[in-house]
């Protein structure tokens, strides 16, 4: 039992002992599991948790920890009523997950009445880094922690399509202009002025550049750096590829109202074809073999942690 002052005097590394990777996985309430309806989903979930646990044990990422606790939990949303922590992974169903958290929290009656701007700019939900150290520790150790992930290449292409192939008042002037200026030879004045029309190959050149003209962005940051899955012991690992089934199973586990189901609608650009493996293939054709390999290497940890097959 350390005083607050003693805790502040400790090195940041020592604070993590005993908080992350507890000896046993958090037990999920499965009393509602009757019959065979959720049997396969539950079995898949156990395999994912076990796989990630074994991976982290093998690679022991704690040795490489250089990050402060508050930064580690900066992407995690808190829902106190049902004691849920959800780590946001953009382009893996996060908009609809935030809608669900708002309903669980009593901030909205239905997921269908919440606009995109309300979800992302409304500041209705609290993040874990907004609590004091005790509040963070308590929730990490007692709440059900969930993460939803997606095939890394699909997530990357989805982010590019969303941010660069549609009008965007932030990504074009901030990222687009810098990308075109650095990676496009003989760029015309209009492109340099607006930042619109970034090509996928130019985007990848930026992604792989250790001296990026602008920093990283959460939409294409690695999940290993967004949610730190080897330091924060997630109790539930959902996948975008089985999103609806996983999400509705999770809602039952945390005691959500029976009528609350995970929304099926596409948050934006609903007329666009969803980013599938075939769509990804078309984009990867624009890259050289070396660029494809380097892009895979960039997301190598994500592929390994969540047992995704290399493209």
């Amino acid at each position: 039992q350390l005083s607050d002052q003693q805790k502040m005097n400790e090195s940041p590394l020592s604070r993590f002992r005993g908080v992350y990777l507890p000896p046993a996985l958090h037990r999920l309430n499965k009393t509602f599991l009757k019959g065979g309806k959720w049997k396969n989903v539950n079995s898949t979930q156990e395999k994912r948790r076990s796989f990630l646990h074994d991976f982290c044990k093998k690679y022991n990422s704690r040795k490489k920890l250089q990050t402060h606790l508050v930064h580690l939990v900066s992407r995690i949303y808190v829902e106190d009523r049902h004691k849920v922590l959800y780590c946001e992974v953009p382009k893996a169903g996060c908009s609809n997950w935030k809608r669900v958290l708002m309903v669980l929290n009593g901030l909205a009656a239905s997921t269908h009445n919440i606009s995109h701007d309300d979800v992302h700019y409304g500041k209705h939900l609290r993040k874990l880094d907004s609590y004091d150290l005790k509040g963070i520790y308590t929730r990490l150790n007692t709440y059900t922690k969930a993460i939803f992930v997606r095939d890394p290449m699909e997530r990357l292409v989805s982010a590019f399509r969303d941010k660069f192939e549609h009008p965007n008042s932030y990504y074009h002037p901030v990222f687009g202009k810098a990308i075109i200026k650095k990676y496009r030879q003989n760029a015309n004045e209009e492109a340099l002025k607006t930042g619109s029309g970034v090509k996928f190959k130019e985007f990848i050149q930026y992604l792989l550049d250790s001296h990026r003209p602008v920093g990283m962005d959460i939409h294409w940051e690695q999940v290993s750096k967004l949610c730190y899955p080897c330091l924060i012991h997630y109790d539930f690992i959902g996948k975008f590829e089985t999103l609806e089934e996983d999400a509705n199973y999770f809602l039952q586990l945390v005691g959500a109202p029976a009528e609350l189901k995970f929304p099926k609608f596409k948050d934006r650009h609903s007329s666009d074809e969803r980013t599938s493996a075939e769509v990804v293939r078309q984009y990867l054709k624009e890259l050289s073999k070396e660029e494809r390999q380097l892009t895979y290497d960039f997301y190598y940890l994500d592929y390994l942690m969540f047992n995704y097959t290399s493209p």
Side-chain angles (χ1 to χ4, degrees), residues 11 82 112:
S11 75
H82 298 80
H112 293 272

Side-chain angles (χ1 to χ4, degrees), residues 229-254:
C230 281
L231 296 171
I232 297 170
H233 213 130
Y234 291 96
D235 308 301
F236 193 94
I237 302 155
K239 290 195 171 183
F240 187 81
E241 294 75 13
T242 49
L243 177 59
E244 201 179 322
E245 193 174 43
D246 289 350
N248 288 325
Y249 176 55
F250 178 76
L251 288 173
Q252 295 237 1
L253 286 176
V254 298

Side-chain angles (χ1 to χ4, degrees), residues 15-191:
R15 287 193 204 169
F16 296 102
R17 293 186 196 127
V19 177
Y20 301 101
L21 295 174
L25 287 163
H26 185 79
R27 289 187 68 82
L28 297 171
N29 176 20
K30 298 178 185 173
T31 51
F32 73 91
L33 283 174
K34 291 170 186 168
K37 185 184 177 187
W38 298 106
K39 189 178 175 184
N40 290 341
V41 189
N42 178 57
S43 171
T44 300
Q45 191 53 225
E46 292 301 329
K47 284 174 189 167
R48 286 177 191 165
R49 282 164 27 120
S50 176
F51 184 90
L52 180 60
H53 182 75
D54 291 346
F55 168 85
C56 294
K57 209 169 163 186
K58 182 180 174 185
Y59 285 84
N60 195 6
S61 296
R62 279 190 293 187
K63 288 177 184 172
K64 300 168 192 168
L65 178 62
Q66 298 289 327
T67 310
H68 192 277
L69 173 66
V70 173
H71 177 72
L72 282 186
V73 301
S74 63
R75 306 300 332 157
I76 296 179
Y77 284 88
V78 179
E79 200 285 287
D80 282 315
R81 281 186 174 187
H82 298 80
K83 299 191 171 180
V84 170
L85 297 180
Y86 162 72
C87 188
E88 175 189 26
V89 176
K91 312 312 297 177
C94 73
S95 298
N96 279 337
W97 259 117
K98 285 192 247 185
R99 287 184 173 94
V100 166
L101 293 178
M102 286 171 72
V103 173
L104 285 174
N105 216 11
L107 298 167
S110 162
T111 55
H112 293 272
N113 304 329
I114 309 169
S115 71
H116 176 86
D117 284 357
D118 251 357
V119 166
H120 292 286
Y121 311 117
K123 306 210 182 297
H124 302 292
L125 298 166
R126 279 188 79 173
K127 286 185 180 174
L128 193 51
D129 62 355
S130 69
Y131 294 82
D132 61 14
L133 278 178
K134 186 183 176 187
I136 293 173
Y137 284 148
T138 301
R139 285 168 178 79
L140 279 174
N141 285 318
T142 59
Y143 282 23
T144 305
K145 301 177 288 296
I147 182 174
F148 275 72
V149 297
R150 185 177 187 177
D151 175 275
M153 288 294 189
E154 275 192 28
R155 187 175 155 247
L156 177 68
V157 171
S158 177
F160 171 78
R161 294 175 76 200
D162 181 25
K163 303 306 177 193
F164 295 103
E165 292 187 350
H166 295 273
N168 192 296
S169 60
Y170 172 71
Y171 285 90
H172 291 200
V174 174
F175 287 88
K177 282 164 79 169
I179 288 171
I180 290 169
K181 185 179 179 182
K182 182 162 186 182
Y183 308 108
R184 185 178 299 180
Q185 289 184 342
N186 307 317
N188 65 43
E189 203 175 312
E190 181 69 13

Side-chain angles (χ1 to χ4, degrees), residues 277-289:
E278 183 50 46
V279 169
V280 170
R281 254 193 294 276
Q282 298 307 315
Y283 279 83
L284 292 182
K285 280 180 184 175
E286 298 174 29
L287 308 180
S288 67
K289 190 176 180 182

